[in-house]
């Protein structure tokens, strides 16, 4: 088992002990099968306990796992004939966002998504999946193309957030995000979004205005990173775990709050343990939702998306004549 | 439930008059300009629409002051006056902070929405107040904006939103984020109908508000010196590890980088809006309402 997270250490240690005992048994020809069986049983029990009730901070670690499948990984496993397209036609080509046309079970679609790196070097190229305005504008250009040619849009969300930098500000980070939100709301084609890892703030939402928003079991979605929230709320970024708990960032929370329509289960331990299996589950969900949405007319698709977001929010009423 | 039902059920509009607004402005005979340090006579400062007589610094305005300076007779027929924030996530300290915000601002929520006339032209207006929870975008704020947009669609009136905000309201977490999509989708619908939306940005406007409806105006204007951007200056300085110039993220910076149509001085704001509304009025009304 590679790439264990800190909370998975006890499991990894137990696994190592079992391996060692097996090796020792084979080498020396001593029968340890009873001990091994006992340890394996303990391992299974521990595994069951550990993954059954993952806490929000633990899920956050899985969502950010270095080996977690990225947008391009899923595109390769889910779609055929993917043609990557580049550039926003205004400033440049942002490697933190990828997109293009492809076939999903034969059907032409447009796919866009945030792209994180697979290692440090790749992450520097991809800016850790944090787009500049040109990234959002590239995605918008491709989605407009989809709207023109009546292709469904699939988006994969996986970003810590929009990049906070001076160049991003100069080129209108706010406008780029705002424009995507408004334009996505108006497209006449089905839009299905999948939060595959980190859904970080406005940078995530800028690809997230869909008729259906799906979320992987261990993915997270939040208005600000738990680290950021902790440093603002309690002036202490080390309280990120506590912030992750109180902020309600898990897929289950999103389902309860009406933000996502479906939680796609993950392989035990996380999507990185079996990317191909995970891709299969995502594909099945995409096809199912697109099939349902294909029954709607263009006007109905726009109205359906409007209603989805229009109803999100919880507020209350005071007596208007009674002061505050 | 249709929009119509919402408004038929709640017809208890409160009219905010300039008298009430005046009462709500905290006293103090003298006020110090935070920019140049000049001691100003508060009454004179208020007469000058809270712009420093010495250096031109635009003081932050509460919603009621903005209404007083902008609307005809300082009047706004308020929508959804009783709508307030809930605490859907049971977030530690949220209720207390809401109570403190209400006390500090004299408001029930961070935005006042309603209808009135400017130079005789009717408009649906939203005014965010920074003194209530830093003008942050909670569910109630998002809902009030969406309803105001829908009201403007129904009446086919122009929409003007005065923004000032620290961004998202963390205490409502994802629900706050989703208000960005909700308000932007409403603006998009209004846009498709051909509606006129003027966005006025004042100091400071950030994050969830700058990256949603505030940047979606047919016209986007800002007051001089208004800080305006997506990420806060401190966050950016920490990211790039260098100090940013004072000019960074001001209205003038944004104008230079093509993010705004104009920077408009507060004393010119009402005449500017009247002129612009006049350009969009139906031919028969053009000029008729002008100069009232």
């Amino acid at each position: 088992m590679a790439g264990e997270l800190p909370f998975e250490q006890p499991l990894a240690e137990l696994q190592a002990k079992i391996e060692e005992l097996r090796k020792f048994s084979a080498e020396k020809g001593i029968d340890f099968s009873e001990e091994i069986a006992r340890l394996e049983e303990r391992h299974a029990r521990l595994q069951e306990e550990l993954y059954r009730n993952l806490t929000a901070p633990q899920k956050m670690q899985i969502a950010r796992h270095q080996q977690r499948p990225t947008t391009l990984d899923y595109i390769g496993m889910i779609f055929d004939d993917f043609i990557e397209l580049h550039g926003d036609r205004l400033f440049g080509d942002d490697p933190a966002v990828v997109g293009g046309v492809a076939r999903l079970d034969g059907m032409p679609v447009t796919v866009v998504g945030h792209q994180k790196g697979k290692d440090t070097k790749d992450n520097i190229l991809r800016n850790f999946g944090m787009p500049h305005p040109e990234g959002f504008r590239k995605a918008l250009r491709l989605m407009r193309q989809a709207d023109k040619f009546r292709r469904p849009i699939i988006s994969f969300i996986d970003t810590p957030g929009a990049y906070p930098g001076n160049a991003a500000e100069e080129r209108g980070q706010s406008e780029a995000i705002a424009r995507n939100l408004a334009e996505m709301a108006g497209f006449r084609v089905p839009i299905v979004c999948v939060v595959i890892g980190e859904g970080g703030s406005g940078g995530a939402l800028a690809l997230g205005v869909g008729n259906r928003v799906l979320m992987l079991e261990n993915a997270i979605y939040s208005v600000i990173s738990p680290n950021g929230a902790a440093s603002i709320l309690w002036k202490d970024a080390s309280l990120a775990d506590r912030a992750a708990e109180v902020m309600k960032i898990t897929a289950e929370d999103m389902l309860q709050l009406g933000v996502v329509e479906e939680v796609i289960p993950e392989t035990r331990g996380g999507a990185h343990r079996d990317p191909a299996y995970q891709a299969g589950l995502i594909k099945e969900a995409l096809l199912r939702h697109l099939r349902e949405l294909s029954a709607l007319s263009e006007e109905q698709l726009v109205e359906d998306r409007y209603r989805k977001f229009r109803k999100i929010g919880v507020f209350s009423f005071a007596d208007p004549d009674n002061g505050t | 439930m249709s929009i119509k039902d919402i408004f038929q059920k709640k017809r208890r509009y409160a009219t905010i008059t300039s008298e009430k607004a005046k009462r709500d402005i905290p006293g103090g005979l003298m006020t110090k300009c935070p920019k140049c340090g000049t001691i100003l006579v508060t009454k004179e400062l208020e007469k000058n629409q809270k712009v420093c007589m010495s250096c031109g610094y635009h003081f932050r305005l509460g919603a009621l002051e903005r209404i007083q300076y902008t609307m005809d007779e300082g009047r706004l027929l308020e929508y959804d006056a009783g709508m307030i924030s809930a605490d859907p996530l049971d977030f530690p300290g949220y209720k207390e902070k809401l109570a403190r915000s209400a006390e500090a601002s004299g408001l029930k929520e961070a935005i006042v929405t309603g209808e009135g006339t400017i130079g005789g032209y009717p408009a649906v207006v939203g005014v965010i107040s920074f003194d209530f929870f830093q003008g942050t975008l909670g569910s109630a704020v998002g809902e009030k904006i969406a309803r105001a947009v829908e009201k403007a669609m129904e009446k086919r009136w122009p929409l003007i939103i005065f923004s000032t905000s620290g961004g998202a309201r963390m205490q409502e977490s994802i629900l706050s984020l989703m208000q960005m999509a909700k308000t932007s989708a409403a603006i998009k619908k209004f846009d498709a109908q051909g509606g006129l939306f003027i966005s006025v940005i004042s100091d400071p406007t950030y994050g969830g508000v700058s990256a949603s409806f505030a940047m979606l105006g047919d016209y986007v204007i800002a007051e001089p010196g208004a800080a305006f951007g997506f990420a806060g200056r401190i966050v950016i300085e920490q990211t790039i590890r260098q100090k940013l110039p004072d000019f960074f993220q001001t209205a003038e910076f944004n104008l230079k980088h093509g993010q705004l149509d104009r920077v408009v001085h507060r004393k010119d704001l009402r005449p500017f809006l009247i002129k612009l509304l006049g350009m969009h009025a139906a031919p028969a009304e053009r000029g008729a309402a002008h100069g009232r």
Side-chain angles (χ1 to χ4, degrees):
Chain A
M1 203 161 79
E4 292 94 3
L5 294 163
F7 72 88
E8 294 173 311
Q9 277 312 317
L11 208 54
E13 277 162 23
L14 205 56
Q15 183 67 40
K17 208 180 270 174
I18 295 168
E19 304 287 330
E20 199 182 319
L21 209 56
R22 271 213 191 96
K23 207 173 134 203
F24 189 73
S25 165
E27 274 170 13
K28 307 277 170 177
I30 308 167
D31 181 19
F32 282 122
S33 55
E34 243 176 71
E35 283 81 356
I36 291 172
R38 222 176 29 243
L39 284 176
E40 273 176 340
E41 195 189 312
R42 232 174 86 195
H43 184 271
R45 220 172 34 237
L46 188 63
Q47 197 172 36
E48 178 65 26
E49 273 168 32
L50 194 63
Y51 293 120
R52 196 181 40 216
N53 290 312
L54 287 175
T55 64
Q58 287 167 343
K59 288 189 174 186
M60 183 165 76
Q61 288 175 42
I62 296 175
R64 293 171 172 174
H65 198 289
Q66 186 59 56
Q67 290 161 8
R68 193 165 175 86
T70 66
T71 295
L72 282 176
D73 293 328
Y74 285 128
I75 288 176
M77 292 183 284
I78 294 171
F79 302 89
D80 301 308
D81 299 343
F82 175 60
I83 305 170
E84 187 176 354
L85 303 167
H86 295 275
D88 68 346
R89 300 291 188 276
L90 298 163
F91 179 81
D93 182 43
D94 188 347
V97 172
V98 294
V101 290
R103 284 182 187 274
L104 177 63
D105 234 21
M107 170 181 34
V109 296
T110 285
V111 50
V112 295
H114 305 96
Q115 183 62 40
K116 286 187 179 177
K118 299 298 281 182
D119 52 44
T120 307
K121 199 177 147 209
D122 194 21
N123 250 326
I124 288 164
L125 170 77
R126 300 289 181 187
N127 200 29
F128 298 84
M130 293 187 282
H132 280 73
E134 50 272 24
F136 298 121
R137 288 174 183 143
K138 168 163 72 175
L140 181 60
R141 185 177 75 81
L142 298 180
M143 291 191 285
R144 279 191 171 133
Q145 193 184 61
D147 189 53
K148 175 180 172 184
F149 295 109
R150 303 293 192 271
R151 286 192 291 259
I153 297 167
I154 315 278
S155 85
F156 291 113
I157 294 167
D158 189 17
T159 178
Y163 186 66
N166 44 350
E169 295 292 326
E170 285 175 1
R171 297 201 286 275
Q173 192 71 292
S174 291
E175 196 275 347
I177 294 169
R179 190 64 53 200
N180 278 22
L181 301 181
E183 293 304 304
M184 282 187 91
F187 290 141
R188 297 156 297 176
V189 296
I191 305 177
V192 181
C193 312
V194 190
V195 186
I196 57 171
E198 266 186 287
S201 192
L205 188 61
L207 299 186
V209 185
N211 296 82
R212 305 285 163 85
V213 181
L214 321 177
M215 196 161 166
L216 298 197
E217 187 185 341
N218 294 315
I220 58 172
Y221 205 169
S222 66
V223 70
I224 181 173
S225 75
N227 315 59
S231 55
I232 293 174
L233 286 171
W234 305 305
K235 317 277 174 232
D236 185 355
S238 71
L239 295 172
D241 281 4
R242 184 170 170 231
E245 293 284 3
V246 297
M247 282 171 70
K248 310 270 193 284
I249 60 170
T250 68
E252 207 179 303
D253 295 327
M254 294 308 118
L255 196 63
Q256 277 173 17
L257 293 166
V259 173
V260 307
E261 278 68 38
E262 180 177 332
V263 176
I264 301 173
E266 284 188 34
T267 320
R268 189 154 61 187
H272 58 287
R273 302 251 182 249
D274 194 346
Y277 174 74
Q278 195 63 56
L281 291 184
I282 296 172
K283 184 173 184 176
E284 182 278 319
L286 286 175
L287 286 169
R288 183 160 36 80
H289 286 283
L290 284 177
R291 204 159 43 236
E292 285 172 22
L293 291 170
S294 70
L296 302 185
S297 70
E298 293 180 356
E299 293 72 31
Q300 285 171 329
L301 283 167
V302 176
E303 193 54 29
D304 170 75
R305 212 176 304 126
Y306 185 71
R307 275 201 307 267
K308 168 181 162 60
F309 288 93
R310 183 65 186 80
K311 65 174 193 249
I312 301 179
V314 181
F315 46 88
S316 126
F317 289 94
D319 182 353
D321 297 329
N322 192 21
T324 324
Chain B
M1 186 164 70
S2 82
I3 312 311
K4 240 181 174 169
D5 297 336
I6 293 167
F7 285 95
Q8 265 161 4
K9 262 189 217 158
K10 292 188 54 59
R11 278 217 166 271
R12 295 201 292 168
Y13 294 159
T15 300
I16 299 164
T17 62
S18 51
E19 280 72 30
K20 190 182 171 208
K22 269 178 200 148
R23 268 207 321 275
D24 290 342
I25 300 165
L29 281 172
M30 310 298 278
T31 306
K32 188 177 171 182
C33 172
K35 196 174 174 205
C36 70
T38 307
I39 308 292
L40 305 158
V41 180
T42 305
K43 270 215 169 106
E44 293 296 313
L45 181 65
E46 279 166 12
K47 240 185 249 165
N48 203 38
Q49 300 191 14
K50 290 208 158 179
V51 176
C52 173
M53 285 81 87
S54 175
C55 73
Y57 170 75
H58 284 51
F59 283 73
R60 290 176 184 174
L61 296 183
L64 303 185
E65 293 168 308
R66 177 69 73 184
I67 290 162
Q68 187 194 345
Y69 296 148
T70 309
M71 307 304 294
D72 292 347
E73 286 113 46
R75 289 167 75 92
L76 187 82
L77 187 63
E78 196 179 358
Y79 301 155
D80 305 306
M83 194 183 291
I84 55 170
S85 292
D87 182 10
L89 306 183
D90 207 8
F91 201 94
Y94 186 29
K95 283 195 192 78
E96 294 72 17
K97 203 166 173 203
L98 280 170
R100 280 202 302 277
S101 273
E103 204 177 300
S105 64
L107 299 171
K108 291 194 191 71
E109 196 36 78
I111 189 168
V112 175
T113 56
E115 61 180 67
T117 58
I118 304 174
Y121 297 111
V124 171
V125 174
V127 186
I128 304 182
S129 214
F130 196 78
D131 54 7
F132 188 103
F133 225 111
Q134 298 174 316
T136 46
L137 183 58
S139 296
V141 173
E143 181 67 20
K144 284 179 88 169
I145 291 173
R147 288 187 184 189
V149 178
E150 286 163 344
K151 200 76 176 170
M153 283 176 70
E154 188 189 309
K155 290 183 174 268
R156 298 190 173 260
W157 282 358
L159 170 74
I160 306 174
I161 298 179
F162 295 85
S163 290
T164 169
S165 175
R169 194 174 292 175
M170 269 182 301
Q171 290 80 353
E172 291 191 27
S173 199
I174 200 72
L175 294 176
S176 170
L177 186 73
M178 292 300 140
Q179 303 310 307
M180 292 171 67
K182 175 161 136 184
T183 54
S184 299
I187 296 287
K188 175 67 186 176
K189 216 175 187 189
F190 183 53
D191 176 68
Q193 192 203 53
L196 163 66
F197 171 33
I198 304 172
S199 173
V200 183
I201 288 165
S202 52
D203 183 62
T205 301
Y206 278 98
V209 167
S210 74
S212 63
F213 57 88
M215 271 316 286
L216 293 173
D218 297 291
Y219 303 93
V220 183
I221 61 166
E223 288 192 327
F228 165 55
F230 177 67
R233 162 191 286 270
I234 296 167
V235 175
I236 298 172
E237 282 178 343
Q238 281 168 356
T239 310
I240 63 171
R241 293 176 197 284
Q242 61 191 40
K243 201 108 177 79
L244 293 158
D246 285 349
F247 178 63
F248 186 69
Q249 286 186 331
T250 56
E252 294 74 13
F253 168 95
N254 280 293
L255 185 71
K256 181 181 165 229
H257 289 288
Q259 302 306 316
L260 295 171
D261 286 295
R262 291 189 78 83
V263 175
V264 182
H265 193 285
R266 192 172 288 161
K267 73 171 161 34
D268 302 323
L269 194 51
R270 188 177 133 87
F272 174 88
L273 291 173
I274 293 171
K275 208 193 263 183
L276 205 50
L277 289 169
M279 301 246 185
H280 287 266
E285 294 168 39
R286 254 175 233 162
H290 189 73
R292 250 190 245 174

